[in-house]
Amino acid sequence: MSAEVIFNHPPASEVQLGLTFPNNLEVADQRSRFHSLVRTEFPIVIMPEQNKMTYDFADYSLFTEEMAARLEIGMSYFRVVSTRYPGFRKFRTLFLSTVGLFSKCYKLSAFTALAMTYRNSLPLEEHHNYENCFTLGIGLPEELHSELFAGKGLLVFQKPEGFVTVELEPQVDGSRIKSYALNLIFTVRPGTPISADESSLVEHVDVAHAYLERFFFGLLTKQYLEYLRSR
C-alpha cells in the first residue's frame, strides 16, 4: 500500500511483519546480545507484565525514541511493528535490516512462518453508507433486498503462496457508523520453506505486500478512495 504517495493521512494505523522459528533458548537467555546491535535505533526496552503472559518465554519489545516503531521478540518469533507507517519501501528496509541482524546474532538459517498485517481505520462521513464505500457485496433474494446498513465479518481467501484474511468491523456511535476497522493479513502457506537469506525474505515479503495492496484497493470503491485521497 503506497500510502505515503496516495494519502495525506494514511489509513494504516498499524503495520506488522513477523516471522516464527523453532524455540531458541539463546533468544531468551541472551537478549542483550541482540539489543546491543540495534540500541542506537531502538533504545527503549519494555518488558510485558508477567501476570499477562501465559508462558514466560522472555518476550520483550524494543522501541524507537519516538515510539513509532518497535521490535517484538520472543523465544520463537520476531516482529517489526509500525504505528506511523512510513510506506512499504522504508518499512521493508527496516524489516530486512533488523531481521538480518537478528538471524545472524542467533545463527537462525530458516523460519517456519511469515505473516504481514495492515490494520486500517477507515473514517466515514454522514453521507457515506456501506455500498458506496465497499465493493464487497452480499447477494439476497429480491424480496429481501434493502440498503445494507453495516457489514461485519471475516473472510479467508486461498492463494498459491498462502492465505489472505479480511476482517471488517464497524465502529458504531449511537445510530451512526463513524468508521470501519479493516484488517488485512497475509500468511505464507504452512510448510513453505523460508530461508533467512535476504533474497528469500524479499521474495516472500513482496508477495505478501502485493496481495494486501491488491485487496485494499479492490475492496474499496473508487468513490471512497477519492475521499481518502482528498482528506
Side-chain angles (χ1 to χ4, degrees):
M1 295 167 209
S2 304
E4 79 280 14
V5 174
I6 295 172
F7 304 114
N8 293 320
H9 302 285
S13 57
E14 183 177 279
V15 181
Q16 297 185 8
L17 183 52
L19 296 157
T20 61
F21 48 88
N23 287 335
N24 187 310
L25 288 173
E26 281 196 346
V27 174
D29 297 338
Q30 300 293 328
R31 291 172 290 191
S32 63
R33 187 197 305 173
F34 174 67
H35 188 216
S36 67
L37 300 176
V38 297
R39 184 180 286 112
T40 300
E41 191 170 2
F42 294 90
I44 300 173
V45 182
I46 295 182
M47 307 296 293
E49 295 180 28
Q50 289 292 323
N51 61 359
K52 294 183 179 179
M53 297 176 63
T54 305
Y55 305 103
D56 182 6
F57 282 168
D59 306 56
Y60 66 103
S61 296
L62 305 176
F63 285 77
T64 56
E65 192 70 49
E66 74 282 7
M67 306 292 281
R70 67 183 183 270
L71 308 179
E72 297 180 347
I73 302 167
M75 195 164 69
S76 62
Y77 68 88
F78 177 90
R79 282 192 297 267
V80 178
V81 183
S82 173
T83 54
R84 292 183 207 162
Y85 186 51
F88 176 60
R89 289 183 181 276
K90 290 183 179 179
F91 184 73
R92 182 178 72 164
T93 297
L94 175 64
F95 173 79
L96 293 173
S97 63
T98 52
V99 78
L101 291 171
F102 183 80
S103 58
K104 289 176 183 176
C105 181
Y106 299 111
K107 298 180 176 61
L108 301 176
S109 59
F111 299 95
T112 54
L114 180 146
M116 187 173 196
T117 301
Y118 279 85
R119 302 190 187 282
N120 298 287
S121 179
L122 305 176
L124 300 185
E125 303 289 347
E126 288 192 14
H127 65 276
H128 285 138
N129 60 37
Y130 177 91
E131 292 175 340
N132 60 36
C133 294
F134 298 97
T135 61
L136 184 64
I138 298 175
L140 291 172
E142 186 175 347
E143 64 271 17
L144 295 179
H145 182 73
S146 59
E147 182 177 310
L148 185 60
F149 174 68
K152 175 182 178 180
L154 182 149
L155 296 168
V156 180
F157 299 87
Q158 184 172 332
K159 297 297 180 181
E161 302 88 347
F163 300 90
V164 176
T165 300
V166 177
E167 299 176 344
L168 192 63
E169 177 81 32
Q171 311 299 307
V172 181
D173 180 15
S175 61
R176 188 171 94 78
I177 298 175
K178 297 192 67 175
S179 64
Y180 271 94
L182 174 63
N183 300 329
L184 300 174
I185 306 162
F186 180 83
T187 52
V188 170
R189 183 180 293 277
T192 301
I194 304 173
S195 169
D197 180 76
E198 182 172 318
S199 61
S200 173
L201 291 174
V202 166
E203 180 180 354
H204 289 296
V205 170
D206 286 352
V207 166
H209 173 261
Y211 275 123
L212 298 184
E213 182 178 55
R214 196 177 310 161
F215 268 78
F216 179 82
F217 289 104
L219 288 170
L220 300 178
T221 64
K222 292 181 179 179
Q223 176 184 352
Y224 184 69
L225 285 170
E226 285 302 319
Y227 163 73
L228 287 181
R229 290 188 179 101
S230 66
R231 293 182 67 242

